[in-house]
Amino acid sequence: MKIGMVCYPTYGGSGVVAAELGYILGERGHQVHFISSARPFRLQKFHRNLFFHEVEDVSYPLFKYPPYTLLLANKIVEVTRQVGLDLIHVHYAIPHTISAYLAKHMLDEQIPLVTTLHGTDITLVGAYEEFYRLTRLALNVSDCLTSVSRSLASDTEQLFGPLSRNITVVPNFVDPEVYFPHKKADAERECFAPAGEKILAHISNFREVKHVPDVVRIFDQVQRKIPSRLLLVGDGPEMSKVEREVESRGLKTLVSFLGKQENVQEILQMTDVFLLPSAQESFGLAALEAMACGVPVVASKVGGLPEVVKEGKTGFLLPQGDVKGMSAAVLRLLMDTKLYERMSFAASDLAYSEFPPERAAREYEEVYKKARALVKGKM
Ligand code: GMT
């Protein structure tokens, strides 16, 4: 098939999932045409079946902001005409589904539209008064809807139901050839933990929903009992708040800010415990990547996280905001070598057995088939 894949190019789970899905579909013989404002950051390797089409800005004196939604719609039409797309698969409802819907109206022939919901498009953006009706429209005009967890499917139905389509759950996945346990030799850990300290890590886009200051608070409790270091990976609007939290606690020398990183597996492979104290998380892809690297996760028991992190088996889930409980969970892990090894092994084992990329690709292919049949039926 020739698939038009629309996604955000920036650091964030939905763009990662779209890019990695593209590589697997490309391997399975599909042609995947990415359409976005910039090359998705995980779409760096060349593949004979993957293509990138950039939505370019136009500047016109009357536009305060270039109308991205319209430019994207136009690009989808252009690519469809140029290469003969069989289907459009958009990641993140707003504004991508709306642009694709417009594109469908500008095309002479019917083209199936699949929308994958990733979480914040429903729970945050979709909940804004200004976007609620548009999100509802996006849900109802997609030929097929998928969500990355059961929790997100049920949140969507609760917030926007009744919908004209069922939501198919296709969980995110992890590539075992990239994410695997590889405890770095002391020499490699040394630059972050020179005295053999334990390493805690957090990766996100530093938005409010991630509660990164809680990561610092948890780390503070832990380092009082066990010599440890904290690696903070990513950047975003909450960064200054996080820096203040680090400074006010006198932790500057123990915390490393690594900024945006592409090969996060290298960092995860030297991490002992991964922290994700988010207020909401439809899936928690970073937690899955950590688990695949054999890193137990301590996280909030919210959204889809219980579908990824198995409580007491691959990590610990605590109520959101329970800094004391999360610190105690990290200490428990770091103080009990047997428990740690058992959880570390179970984490990668479960990541591979329950979230294999091939299965996700097959499930998306099924959804594509269904969307095409639905559209054919309408003609
Ligand atoms: O977490 C973010 O703010 C980014 C967002 C995205 O779309 O890039 O992440 C969402 O999609 C990811 C991939 O499906 C999920 O793993 C994240 O849990 C989800 N984030 C939230 O629900 C907060």
Side-chain angles (χ1 to χ4, degrees), residues 174-181 292 352 355-357:
V174 67
D175 184 349
E177 287 181 20
V178 178
Y179 296 89
F180 54 87
Y352 300 155
F355 302 95

Side-chain angles (χ1 to χ4, degrees), residues 8 10-17 92 116-121 123-124 148 152 172 204-205 207 209-210 276 278 280-286 305:
Y8 282 114
T10 42
Y11 288 77
S14 55
V16 170
V17 171
Y92 217 88
T116 290
L117 306 170
H118 280 273
T120 43
D121 44 356
T123 55
L124 294 183
V148 297
L152 178 59
N172 290 334
S204 76
N205 47 25
R207 289 202 217 135
V209 69
K210 302 290 176 181
L276 198 58
S278 311
Q280 180 54 252
E281 207 64 68
S282 69
F283 184 88
L285 185 62
L305 275 169

Side-chain angles (χ1 to χ4, degrees), residues 7 12 45 50 52 68-70 80 83 120 127 134 158 175 207 241 249 263 273 286-287 305 307-308 326 342 344 354:
C7 67
K45 280 186 312 215
L50 300 197
F52 169 59
Y68 182 71
T69 306
L70 304 182
T80 307
V83 304
T120 43
L134 278 165
Q158 253 175 40
D175 184 349
R207 289 202 217 135
K241 217 181 190 175
R249 288 173 182 271
N263 297 306
V273 179
L305 275 169
E307 294 169 47
V308 180
M326 294 191 199
R342 204 168 56 236
S344 166
E354 291 204 9

